[in-house]
Amino acid sequence: MAIRHYLAMTASEMRACRHFPENTAWMACHLSPYGAGLSAMPKTLKPGSLLILDDCTPIYRHDPALILEELQNCVQELALWGVLLDFQRPGYPGEQALAKTLTEGLRCPVAVSELYAGETDGAVFLAPTPLTVPLKKALAPWKEREIWLDTSLGGEEISLSPNGAAARLTSQRESPETGHSDEALHCHYQIRTEKEKAVFTLWRTREDLDALLHEAETWGVKTAVGLYQELK
């Protein structure tokens, strides 16, 4: 498969790991809660790795120029392949400005979450493809952009009752052991009935994910990022 598939690891997972995946991503880096720069920068990584910057600490008085310098130094010193800006707090003008500074200034491949990708020129990092939506349709709004896929293995449960429909996201641990396969949506599904309610459960297996990535490759996707704890 031509898609470069990174597996994101925490610092503790890296310390405990004896056999690292081919493409490793460091997912511990975040905006400093004490200063203007970054915290939890990696000290060492395998050349060609990916660094993930999240926004678990809300942006406040952080300095985009300082953060750019810290990241660029890290990219050069550790020979990293790229940087993913996994910003998941919507509506922060400071994060939009930071994303723009980093996508324009870093001298390596950079992607930013779709929440902040609209005003940047970098690649767009899409949330996991909804299990009820064909991949081509999910990619369509960003077809003119380079796309990175989130390959977290979650699921979805849809309940139908006289009161209407309700949906919730489920974790990999909640996925049933058996079900029917849908080759078009690259997922499995199960239907059960309860008192005055029908429940549709959809989830992806590793085989479903592989099929999804093969299709994504035909649409020009070249990079994906998943969780080591799910996909190891």
Side-chain angles (χ1 to χ4, degrees):
M1 190 186 310
I3 288 182
R4 185 189 296 261
H5 195 184
Y6 281 94
L7 297 187
M9 304 178 69
T10 64
S12 59
E13 286 173 338
M14 287 192 173
R15 286 193 293 269
C17 187
R18 299 180 62 183
H19 303 287
F20 285 86
E22 180 180 357
N23 297 312
T24 303
W26 172 270
M27 64 180 296
C29 185
H30 53 269
L31 303 176
S32 172
Y34 310 110
L38 300 175
S39 289
M41 296 285 281
K43 303 299 182 183
T44 180
L45 282 175
K46 184 170 63 173
S49 296
L50 176 72
L51 186 148
I52 301 174
L53 171 61
D54 66 49
D55 59 350
C56 65
T57 299
I59 194 164
Y60 182 48
R61 293 180 177 174
H62 296 91
D63 182 351
L66 174 60
I67 293 173
L68 172 60
E69 180 181 0
E70 289 179 331
L71 284 176
Q72 188 58 53
N73 289 340
C74 184
V75 168
Q76 291 177 333
E77 291 172 5
L78 302 184
L80 304 182
W81 176 77
V83 173
L84 168 59
L85 309 178
D86 188 19
F87 294 166
Q88 298 299 327
R89 295 176 181 268
Y92 278 69
E95 287 198 19
Q96 187 67 72
L98 177 59
K100 185 174 179 62
T101 295
L102 298 180
T103 54
E104 293 178 352
L106 285 170
R107 296 188 293 275
C108 67
V110 182
V112 62
S113 65
E114 57 188 312
L115 290 174
Y116 290 95
E119 297 181 28
T120 68
D121 295 327
V124 56
F125 179 56
L126 295 188
T129 305
L131 283 83
T132 56
V133 178
L135 178 62
K136 182 179 179 181
K137 183 176 180 179
L139 301 181
W142 304 96
K143 63 181 180 180
E144 304 301 326
R145 298 278 293 272
E146 179 183 345
I147 294 174
W148 297 13
L149 288 182
D150 184 332
T151 57
S152 299
L153 286 179
E156 186 173 359
E157 184 180 274
I158 303 170
S159 300
L160 300 177
S161 72
N163 295 324
R168 71 177 184 93
L169 298 179
T170 60
S171 68
Q172 183 189 27
R173 295 188 299 274
E174 298 176 80
S175 299
E177 294 185 1
T178 61
H180 305 285
S181 176
D182 189 306
E183 296 183 0
L185 294 173
H186 307 302
C187 72
H188 278 68
Y189 65 93
Q190 184 185 89
I191 304 171
R192 71 179 190 275
T193 56
E194 300 177 1
K195 184 178 181 179
E196 297 187 341
K197 183 169 66 173
V199 181
F200 298 79
T201 304
L202 302 95
W203 73 97
R204 283 202 174 100
T205 65
R206 284 296 304 273
E207 292 73 23
D208 293 329
L209 179 59
D210 288 342
L212 180 81
L213 290 175
H214 277 294
E215 182 184 348
E217 186 179 347
T218 68
W219 300 115
V221 177
K222 295 183 173 60
T223 306
V225 183
L227 294 174
Y228 172 78
Q229 59 188 269
E230 289 185 345
L231 301 173
K232 61 185 176 181

